[in-house]
Amino acid sequence: MHEKHHVVVVGGGFGGLQLVNDLKGATVRVTLIDRRNHHLFQPLLYQVATTVLATSEIAWPIRHLYRDRPEVTTVLGEVTAVDTAIKTVSLANGQSASYDTLVLATGATHAYFGHDEWAAVAPGLKTLEDATTIRRRVLLAFEQAEVEDDSARRDALLTFTVIGAGPTGVELAGTIAEMAHKTLPGEFRRIDTRRARVVLVEAGPRILPAFSEDLSAYARKALEKLGVEVHTGTPVTDCTDAGVKIGDRFVPSRTLVWAAGVQASPAAKWLGIEADRAGRALVAEDLTAPGHPDVFVIGDTASVKQEDGKPVPGIAPAAKQQGAFVARVIRARLEGKSVPDVFRYRHQGSLATIGKRAAIIDFGRIKLKGALAWWIWGIAHIYFLIGTRSRFAVAWSWLWTYLSGQHSARLITQKETLRETG
Amino acid sequence: MHEKHHVVVVGGGFGGLQLVNDLKGATVRVTLIDRRNHHLFQPLLYQVATTVLATSEIAWPIRHLYRDRPEVTTVLGEVTAVDTAIKTVSLANGQSASYDTLVLATGATHAYFGHDEWAAVAPGLKTLEDATTIRRRVLLAFEQAEVEDDSARRDALLTFTVIGAGPTGVELAGTIAEMAHKTLPGEFRRIDTRRARVVLVEAGPRILPAFSEDLSAYARKALEKLGVEVHTGTPVTDCTDAGVKIGDRFVPSRTLVWAAGVQASPAAKWLGIEADRAGRALVAEDLTAPGHPDVFVIGDTASVKQEDGKPVPGIAPAAKQQGAFVARVIRARLEGKSVPDVFRYRHQGSLATIGKRAAIIDFGRIKLKGALAWWIWGIAHIYFLIGTRSRFAVAWSWLWTYLSGQHSARLITQKETLRETG
């Protein structure tokens, strides 16, 4: 029996899932490999880190999504190598999978610009564990401040620093400030949580550089209105468990969150192809790996240029468009039709939220800010949440938070022990 | 200024919270110390372990519950010692708190009957971390079975053993069987999850010994209908990562859950008073520690007899009644009124659920089983959930599971690596 063309997809993020979705009905077998059992809706991960949403509201088991697609096999496993000569990927458990077409959609993690020692004191935000780690540290800082007798140490505990002012950094800083000013007051007896400092540090000249200057300026004002101190134009030069050095100035701060650099997955290394400084594979215009027409690299782990020479941004819509493009290429090749040979990115707009009833949207010609933008942001995110239940669950959690001002997932979990306040 | 009478409560479980609730309006200051920041609704913890509910649906920040009670101070901290001579409790961070009245409501953990080495392979279920650990192991076992080529190893991966057939053990076994038979089929390509074995082991002669014999027999039948193998009358003699030994017979089983023995917190040791075999403090009839009229011990860490000589069961309603009793005693003492001197436990009934539309209720004279009991069980649990939002959230999650058969929190989280299937 002639086996159907076998597409192996590594990574169940936005790009990988879009690809598998769009291969529905094609004459292929699909194997989808991910080292996690769940797809993660990363744009809302900051809300888990800041106690608004529960972990299960933004993550769904991948295999459940394809229960009605018998030609799709989901494998929980970690890819360790690719052998393009024999067209095989190797897994950490010693098994391997042969492919006819391979799609690497393995994403990126945070990068510390050569300072990996900062990772322990300034966790980034890429996984559910990262989110619960940050949640635990933020909540513990308030708890420890409540029992701290020394005023300098108390101030350091009540200073929260977010490094990097892209959308994630802005959203984290805004939500931590809202917690301190609106959710927590009245619950502590010795500290006034409204006196907490939230510091947002950006090495570049302005926050949210992907947005126009006036939207960026509006966002800065909205953050400052929430009580966030915004520092731009000066890089962080050190991170310790006592605080952060911004340029030459040391700011005592016990809770640091890293929302700066990005490091791609080792997809380029597996293939032995060139990568950019962030490790992203330099792919051809049709998203194939140079010299490997049967291997595609998409999403955050690929370096792709737009027509104007600017890089395609590392955001969910870009990954989805790439997944859809590769599905069209695979279908065209199998059906002997004319194969699209250049991926074109269509930027649909940029969205970022700053706090309750403040957001910015940049659709190019149309720019929105304030309450209307905030409602559009919320509706768009609920719309894009996979799975009917999560849509309702998140809508309900947000409605609850909106009306009551309360957050529903204020849990300190996992076994990191109370850090001594000495 | 004369300071108000200071009540220090250690433990924010059912007993501790009932006590603090019932001290509302009394002329006291209250300090509530817990080593976790959240109250946990333990009766539903098994639903987190079996992916039905999210962690935040059954846990709430303690200090949020008392935000409108300025005389109540919540402290996140771990008590390490009590000095009854100077009326002080010591915390792990080096601080201490002086009390006029002390209430120890520090609960219990699981016990392995002298086999603490079993803890690593057969986790118990007392905390949110325990629940997510069991959830991860159950989900990973199915994932590993899907990629396992050896049939004996695959069978061991698809065998789930629950040790101890009290309500928690029965509820865990029933829900794991439901997952295997109703939630997961169709999502795996190589294994048939309906062929999974769920084994429930009870050393005593029958399951659910707190219930009448006919209800216990009904529960056994309902479990067997769900596909659970019930073994009674034989103790577990060994637990390893390869399986469980029931009497002399070894059952290969890669996932074990411990729902047997209980070990009280060290409250009796702190006070230097007598304890029973499970470590529970032997208290006087008014729940004071013998020789320490200002120290009360309540809930799972206290050993209290009913009028008929039977022990008061370690369940939430008993802890709540004790908390309410001690609040009455403290109030009466402060107001110079006649002080109640004997705690009397009123058993309101026992409830256990076996699976969808099957539960048993033992109200003494009235006994219920089947679908009606199941609905009463569900309504009673939603009613007792603290906090309006959680009531709705849990009701919604249950409705979703009831109608769709799907579970909403099927997440493998935390960093235990994939266990090798070798």
Side-chain angles (χ1 to χ4, degrees):
Chain A
M1 200 183 86
H2 187 67
E3 283 251 49
K4 274 194 274 188
H5 188 89
H6 188 204
V7 180
V8 171
V9 184
V10 186
F14 288 106
L17 292 194
Q18 186 70 52
L19 172 81
V20 177
N21 293 345
D22 285 8
L23 286 177
K24 189 172 180 177
T27 16
V28 292
R29 290 184 298 134
V30 177
T31 299
L32 175 54
I33 305 170
D34 198 296
R35 56 185 173 176
R36 311 304 298 258
N37 82 322
H38 50 269
H39 170 70
L40 184 61
F41 195 84
Q42 272 190 354
L44 290 178
L45 194 54
Y46 81 95
Q47 296 211 349
V48 173
T50 52
T51 77
V52 176
L53 293 177
T55 50
S56 56
E57 287 175 325
I58 61 159
W60 312 274
I62 294 168
R63 62 171 68 256
H64 179 65
L65 302 173
Y66 299 112
R67 64 196 181 284
D68 298 328
R69 298 265 307 270
E71 85 283 12
V72 178
T73 300
T74 306
V75 173
L76 176 72
E78 184 157 7
V79 168
T80 53
V82 174
D83 188 331
T84 51
I86 55 168
K87 300 180 78 164
T88 297
V89 299
S90 303
L91 300 177
N93 70 354
Q95 297 184 327
S96 60
S98 296
Y99 62 83
D100 296 309
T101 297
L102 174 65
V103 184
L104 298 177
T106 38
T109 184
H110 24 266
Y112 290 87
F113 309 126
H115 289 281
D116 287 349
E117 71 277 13
W118 296 352
V121 290
L125 185 62
K126 281 285 177 190
T127 67
L128 286 179
E129 285 82 4
D130 290 339
T132 50
T133 296
I134 294 169
R135 180 174 82 183
R136 180 180 64 245
R137 291 191 183 187
V138 170
L139 292 172
L140 270 180
F142 286 107
E143 295 290 342
Q144 294 177 345
E146 171 81 350
V147 295
E148 177 59 64
D149 294 320
D150 179 89
S151 72
R153 288 202 291 243
R154 193 163 55 232
D155 289 347
L157 282 164
L158 288 176
T159 302
F160 301 85
T161 305
V162 178
I163 299 148
T168 298
V170 165
E171 286 162 348
L172 279 168
T175 318
I176 295 171
E178 279 193 331
M179 274 180 78
H181 287 86
K182 292 176 185 162
T183 310
L184 298 179
E187 299 193 12
F188 291 83
R189 300 290 171 253
R190 298 179 66 198
I191 58 169
D192 181 351
T193 62
R194 287 167 298 191
R195 294 190 51 209
R197 280 176 74 189
V198 181
V199 180
L200 177 65
V201 191
E202 166 61 44
R206 61 188 178 93
I207 69 169
L208 297 169
F211 292 79
S212 68
E213 290 201 20
D214 58 323
L215 288 181
S216 166
Y218 166 81
R220 181 176 182 138
K221 265 189 209 141
L223 278 175
E224 287 170 345
K225 208 172 140 192
L226 283 175
V228 176
E229 295 173 30
V230 182
H231 296 258
T232 50
T234 316
V236 162
T237 50
D238 199 15
C239 296
T240 73
D241 59 6
V244 59
K245 206 164 171 184
I246 306 171
D248 294 331
R249 197 161 65 95
F250 184 77
V251 177
S253 172
R254 291 289 299 275
T255 309
L256 313 182
V257 184
W258 189 261
V262 161
Q263 174 67 40
S265 76
K269 277 189 201 152
W270 293 340
L271 299 172
I273 64 173
E274 264 192 280
D276 69 8
R277 277 202 312 168
R280 281 182 290 247
L282 299 176
V283 293
E285 285 190 317
D286 63 353
L287 306 182
T288 55
H292 304 288
D294 297 326
V295 180
F296 296 86
V297 186
I298 64 172
D300 286 358
T301 200
S303 171
V304 186
K305 293 263 184 294
Q306 302 185 46
E307 285 173 88
D308 60 6
K310 283 190 200 158
V312 171
I315 59 178
K320 284 176 160 183
Q321 289 179 27
Q322 294 175 16
F325 174 84
V326 172
R328 283 199 303 278
V329 172
I330 293 172
R331 281 173 171 276
R333 286 183 182 174
L334 290 173
E335 294 163 11
K337 291 183 184 163
S338 111
V339 176
D341 55 2
V342 181
F343 168 73
R344 297 248 183 263
Y345 172 65
R346 294 178 309 283
H347 188 66
Q348 296 159 327
S350 302
L351 286 76
T353 177
I354 297 118
K356 193 169 173 176
R357 272 174 293 195
I360 58 176
I361 300 182
D362 195 335
F363 285 132
R365 270 178 306 182
I366 301 169
K367 297 188 199 319
L368 293 171
K369 57 195 178 195
L372 177 64
W374 187 78
W375 284 103
I376 293 174
W377 175 91
I379 290 164
H381 279 77
I382 285 178
Y383 178 78
F384 285 115
L385 284 171
I386 297 171
T388 323
R389 186 198 176 270
S390 276
R391 268 186 207 165
F392 285 114
V394 169
W396 166 249
S397 287
W398 284 355
L399 185 68
W400 175 260
T401 299
Y402 185 81
L403 297 177
S404 71
Q406 293 308 322
H407 291 184
S408 53
R410 272 172 50 201
L411 302 178
I412 298 174
T413 53
Q414 298 169 342
K415 285 174 184 167
E416 194 175 59
T417 47
L418 278 168
R419 288 189 289 170
E420 292 303 318
T421 56
Chain B
M1 200 183 87
H2 188 67
E3 283 251 49
K4 272 196 276 188
H5 188 91
H6 187 205
V7 180
V8 171
V9 183
V10 187
F14 288 105
L17 292 195
Q18 186 70 52
L19 172 81
V20 178
N21 292 345
D22 286 8
L23 285 177
K24 189 173 182 177
T27 16
V28 291
R29 289 184 300 134
V30 177
T31 298
L32 174 55
I33 305 170
D34 198 295
R35 55 185 175 177
R36 310 305 297 259
N37 83 320
H38 49 269
H39 170 71
L40 183 62
F41 195 84
Q42 273 190 352
L44 290 179
L45 194 54
Y46 82 95
Q47 296 212 349
V48 173
T50 53
T51 77
V52 177
L53 294 178
T55 50
S56 56
E57 287 175 325
I58 61 159
W60 312 274
I62 295 168
R63 62 171 67 258
H64 180 65
L65 302 173
Y66 300 111
R67 64 196 180 285
D68 298 328
R69 297 266 306 271
E71 85 282 14
V72 177
T73 300
T74 306
V75 173
L76 177 72
E78 183 156 8
V79 168
T80 52
V82 173
D83 188 330
T84 50
I86 55 169
K87 300 181 79 165
T88 296
V89 299
S90 303
L91 299 177
N93 70 354
Q95 297 185 327
S96 61
S98 295
Y99 62 82
D100 296 308
T101 297
L102 174 65
V103 183
L104 298 176
T106 38
T109 184
H110 24 267
Y112 290 87
F113 309 128
H115 289 280
D116 286 349
E117 71 277 14
W118 296 353
V121 290
L125 184 63
K126 280 287 177 189
T127 67
L128 286 180
E129 285 82 3
D130 291 340
T132 50
T133 296
I134 293 169
R135 179 173 82 182
R136 180 180 63 246
R137 291 191 182 187
V138 169
L139 292 172
L140 270 180
F142 286 107
E143 295 290 342
Q144 293 177 345
E146 172 80 350
V147 295
E148 177 59 63
D149 294 320
D150 180 89
S151 72
R153 287 203 291 244
R154 194 165 53 233
D155 290 347
L157 282 163
L158 288 175
T159 303
F160 301 85
T161 306
V162 178
I163 300 147
T168 297
V170 165
E171 287 162 347
L172 278 167
T175 318
I176 294 170
E178 279 193 332
M179 274 181 80
H181 287 87
K182 293 175 185 165
T183 309
L184 299 179
E187 298 192 13
F188 292 82
R189 300 291 170 252
R190 299 179 65 198
I191 58 169
D192 181 351
T193 61
R194 286 167 299 191
R195 294 189 51 206
R197 280 175 75 189
V198 181
V199 180
L200 178 64
V201 191
E202 167 60 46
R206 60 188 179 92
I207 69 169
L208 297 171
F211 291 79
S212 69
E213 289 200 22
D214 59 323
L215 288 182
S216 165
Y218 166 82
R220 182 177 182 138
K221 264 188 209 144
L223 278 175
E224 286 169 346
K225 209 173 140 190
L226 284 174
V228 176
E229 295 173 30
V230 182
H231 296 258
T232 49
T234 316
V236 162
T237 50
D238 199 14
C239 296
T240 74
D241 60 6
V244 60
K245 205 164 171 184
I246 306 171
D248 294 331
R249 196 160 66 93
F250 184 76
V251 177
S253 172
R254 291 288 299 274
T255 309
L256 314 182
V257 184
W258 189 260
V262 160
Q263 174 68 41
S265 76
K269 277 190 199 151
W270 293 340
L271 299 172
I273 63 173
E274 265 193 279
D276 69 8
R277 279 201 310 166
R280 282 183 289 248
L282 300 175
V283 293
E285 285 190 314
D286 63 354
L287 307 181
T288 55
H292 303 290
D294 296 325
V295 180
F296 296 86
V297 187
I298 65 173
D300 286 359
T301 200
S303 171
V304 185
K305 293 263 183 293
Q306 302 184 47
E307 284 172 271
D308 60 5
K310 283 190 200 159
V312 171
I315 58 177
K320 285 176 161 184
Q321 289 178 28
Q322 293 174 16
F325 174 83
V326 172
R328 283 200 304 278
V329 172
I330 293 172
R331 281 173 172 276
R333 285 182 183 174
L334 289 173
E335 295 162 10
K337 291 183 184 163
S338 109
V339 176
D341 54 2
V342 182
F343 167 73
R344 297 247 183 263
Y345 172 65
R346 293 176 311 283
H347 189 64
Q348 294 159 329
S350 302
L351 286 77
T353 177
I354 297 116
K356 194 170 173 176
R357 273 174 293 196
I360 57 176
I361 300 181
D362 195 336
F363 286 132
R365 271 177 307 181
I366 302 169
K367 296 188 201 318
L368 294 172
K369 57 194 177 196
L372 177 64
W374 186 79
W375 283 102
I376 293 173
W377 176 90
I379 290 164
H381 279 77
I382 285 178
Y383 177 78
F384 285 115
L385 283 170
I386 297 170
T388 322
R389 185 196 177 271
S390 275
R391 267 185 207 167
F392 286 113
V394 169
W396 166 249
S397 287
W398 284 356
L399 185 67
W400 175 259
T401 299
Y402 184 82
L403 297 177
S404 72
Q406 293 309 323
H407 291 185
S408 53
R410 273 173 49 199
L411 302 179
I412 299 175
T413 53
Q414 297 169 340
K415 286 176 184 163
E416 192 174 60
T417 48
L418 278 167
R419 288 188 291 169
E420 291 305 317
T421 57

